[in-house]
Amino acid sequence: MWYRIFGPGKFKEEKYKEGKENLIKKMAAKGYRDAEILKDTIIRDGEKNVLVKFDIYEGPKYYVGNIVWTGNAKYSDTLLNKILGIKRGDVFSEEKLSTKLLGGGKNSDDISSIYMNDGYLTFSVDPEQTRVYNDTIDLNLRVYEGAQYTINNVIVKGNDVTNDRVVLRSIYTKPGQKFSKEQIMRSVREIAQLGNFDEQKQIQFRAI
């Protein structure tokens, strides 16, 4: 199996260390959660090139076993499993599991998003590996829903280039509405598109 971990360019110790870490992450994403580099050797190949040799322990390839949800009252196991998109027999990938639980992908099709777009500001989920047997890992996905929050007031601070009303018109989180992460991100994009603010400075929404 081939993994691309180094791009073109000069050999740098920092990039080399980062490349080794990426190699282990890529292997883990393919199900090899026990993978490790036993030895690595750098060999000069002429004046401008180097060769890198890795001795790797791959370990067994793991698969997803039983998936159990606990602590979820708002949404059913059936709906959460559909959004999770991971089922028994799939290759076990902690990276994919984390993305589908907590976000970080290109779309908001993860467990965290459906809760945080429905007012659950303090939502969290803890994936526990309850049993590892042969090549199979059972999971207990512990959900902490918390309270459902409502927007009380929206205050603009740090704006000295335009009227606050102009900024407020671009904000989709209104008093009385449920907290929504998606609407906050949409508001950030709309404010940035006004063209009145330095793009190098971060626009922040803060709960107070």
Side-chain angles (χ1 to χ4, degrees), residues 43-55:
I43 306 169
R44 289 192 174 276
D45 182 24
E47 295 182 359
K48 297 184 178 181
N49 298 317
V50 295
L51 299 176
V52 179
K53 179 182 178 182
F54 291 115
D55 290 337

Side-chain angles (χ1 to χ4, degrees), residues 115-126:
Y115 274 98
M116 296 196 74
N117 291 336
D118 196 27
Y120 293 91
L121 174 63
T122 58
F123 164 83
S124 65
V125 56
D126 179 24

Side-chain angles (χ1 to χ4, degrees), residues 116 121 151-159 164 166-175 177-194 197 201-208:
M116 296 196 74
L121 174 63
I151 302 296
N152 180 52
N153 198 7
V154 179
I155 302 172
V156 177
K157 289 187 177 182
N159 167 43
D164 283 354
V166 175
V167 179
L168 288 170
R169 282 200 299 266
S170 299
I171 295 177
Y172 290 87
T173 49
K174 308 294 184 181
Q177 294 179 345
K178 287 183 290 188
F179 170 86
S180 170
K181 177 183 175 182
E182 184 178 22
Q183 293 292 63
I184 288 178
M185 298 306 297
R186 182 183 177 188
S187 299
V188 169
R189 292 193 296 269
E190 289 290 329
I191 293 172
Q193 289 176 6
L194 291 175
F197 302 96
K201 295 181 180 180
Q202 187 176 8
I203 300 171
Q204 295 182 340
F205 277 70
R206 182 177 301 174
I208 57 175

Side-chain angles (χ1 to χ4, degrees), residues 7-19:
K10 294 182 179 180
F11 178 87
K12 295 181 180 180
E13 187 65 34
E14 183 178 343
K15 288 291 184 181
Y16 179 62
K17 181 180 179 181
E18 182 181 323

Side-chain angles (χ1 to χ4, degrees), residues 4 33 42 102 131 140 153 165 178:
R4 182 178 178 83
R33 68 191 290 270
I42 302 172
L102 304 174
R131 185 184 177 203
N140 177 24
N153 198 7
R165 289 195 298 270
K178 287 183 290 188

